[in-house]
Each structure stands twice: as C-alpha cells, then as structure tokens.
Amino acid sequence: MVIHPHDLIEVSNLKYLSLNEDKEWVTASLRRTPFVVVRRSDPSADGYIPVGVRGQERNQREAAFLDPKGVCQIVSPYAIAKHQMWNSLSTERRQQPVLQLMDLLAEMMADWRWGPAGSAGFEIATGYPAVKATSDLDLVIDGSETIDYSTAEGLLRKLEQLDVRIDIQLEVKGGAYVLREILERRTSTVVLRTSSGPKLVRNPWQ
C-alpha cells in the first residue's frame, strides 16, 4: 500500500484511529464524513499512518494516526484530476469559484500530473461541501521528473490570471516545494517540506 501526503483515506471503522484528544467536533466530523487526509509526517513506531481530520471550521484540524487495517479506499489528488471526479458534484456545488475552474484547469494542465488538494480535493472526493466562496485552491504537481523552468513559469503566469488564488506544491522524492518560492529565485535556498519538518535546501532551479 503506497500512500502520499494529500491522499484522502476513507476509514472503514473509527476504532482504527488514534486521536491525541477526544474532541466532540472530531467525532462528529468523522461520523458524517469518514475521510482523513495523509499528513506529511513520519509513520508512528508501530506503522500507523499520520493523518489529519478536517472539521467544518478552518481552525478545526486534528492530527491523528490510522492503523493500516482501517484503510477502506485511497483517493489521491492525481486520481481526482485524471478521472475528473468533480463531474460527480451537483450543478449547484460546481458554481463555487474554485470548483468552477476545474474543467479549465484540466485543459491548462493537460501536460502535467496534477490534482486538487485542500478543501476542493476533499469536497470532490467525499461530496461533503467543504469549499466556500472565498476558498483558495490548493494544487499539487508531481515533480518526480525534472521540470523545465520556463514551462513552469509560464504555467504560473497563466494561473495568476484566474480569479481564484492558487497555491501549488511541487511534490518531489524528499518532500515538497512551494512552486512560487522556487520560481521567484530571491535567495540561493528554498524551503523543502519534509516528513520530519521544513528544511532549507539549495534552490533546485538556480
């Protein structure tokens, strides 16, 4: 079973989740929508998967660990884009600004391996209305292969013309970069987000 940060996991039974604190909103959220998101963190000593629970409010986020036995299904951001899963949402929900963009993004990013994360990815995968009119759009791009600088810069310029703020994480073998930070090239180092925490590394595109 291969799992990556941003993947959404449907939990077969809540007994397989280990929570630091038994908060009422956490249990309510999981009973309503039994999905968790994989965190960028090392597995526990006993092999449990680091995950996070989303609540209704922006500040409602809870770290937890999931026993692999509790994995019912895994939905990756890349699978969401590949299968254009947003088409399963209601017409009403697809009027939300970030969801309205999905078909256009599928055209603009046809040459990339990409997918929506954050609230958009969560709503598309689960059907739960997590997106708001003011929501930003979080995207992930597979950076496992070398990416041409000018091509990435061109993509970012196009995305900046859209009406929604879009944040892109470039996923690489050792972690993830914020694409914008690499392209700005203001310093010789950039932040690499790893499973053990952020690290300053040499800008890979300088």
Side-chain angles (χ1 to χ4, degrees):
M1 181 169 53
V2 180
I3 295 175
H4 302 285
H6 307 294
D7 286 353
L8 290 163
I9 298 177
E10 182 179 8
V11 181
S12 62
N13 193 308
L14 301 189
K15 71 179 183 180
Y16 292 115
L17 270 174
S18 296
L19 300 166
N20 293 327
E21 188 177 347
D22 189 13
K23 297 178 181 177
E24 185 176 343
W25 72 262
V26 173
T27 303
S29 293
L30 289 168
R31 286 176 176 166
R32 180 184 62 242
T33 313
F35 278 80
V36 292
V37 60
V38 178
R39 294 185 286 119
R40 195 182 305 281
S41 183
D42 291 323
S44 67
D46 49 9
Y48 281 29
I49 304 163
V51 297
V53 182
R54 294 180 62 98
Q56 287 183 302
E57 304 302 324
R58 189 179 181 86
N59 64 342
Q60 290 181 328
R61 301 289 185 270
E62 185 72 10
F65 284 92
L66 175 65
D67 186 329
K69 296 176 184 175
V71 175
C72 181
Q73 69 163 322
I74 302 169
V75 183
S76 73
Y78 305 124
I80 291 174
K82 180 180 179 180
H83 301 293
Q84 299 191 2
M85 293 171 61
W86 51 84
N87 288 318
S88 64
L89 296 175
S90 69
T91 302
E92 179 184 3
R93 289 307 300 169
R94 291 186 65 186
Q95 298 309 304
Q96 292 290 335
V98 297
L99 299 175
Q100 275 187 322
L101 286 179
M102 286 300 144
D103 285 333
L104 176 59
L105 287 173
E107 295 179 13
M108 294 175 63
M109 303 183 69
D111 295 331
W112 301 80
R113 186 170 182 252
W114 70 284
S119 59
F122 191 84
E123 175 159 348
I124 294 168
T126 69
Y128 177 75
V131 167
K132 298 179 174 60
T134 56
S135 293
D136 295 340
L137 179 57
D138 296 315
L139 300 181
V140 295
I141 288 179
D142 181 7
S144 57
E145 298 182 4
T146 303
I147 293 176
D148 178 71
Y149 177 91
S150 60
T151 302
E153 192 174 39
L155 173 66
L156 199 59
R157 281 201 303 267
K158 290 178 182 178
L159 296 180
E160 286 175 343
Q161 303 304 311
L162 303 178
D163 293 333
V164 170
R165 175 177 170 79
I166 299 177
D167 295 312
I168 302 175
Q169 284 199 16
L170 181 69
E171 295 290 327
V172 297
K173 184 177 180 180
Y177 298 101
V178 173
L179 184 61
R180 191 183 307 275
E181 292 179 3
I182 300 179
L183 295 176
E184 285 177 347
R185 295 184 298 176
R186 291 178 181 173
T187 64
S188 61
T189 58
V190 290
V191 176
L192 176 67
R193 289 147 180 82
T194 75
S195 60
S196 56
K199 296 179 180 178
L200 274 177
V201 300
R202 187 168 184 80
N203 188 332
W205 289 358
Q206 268 202 327

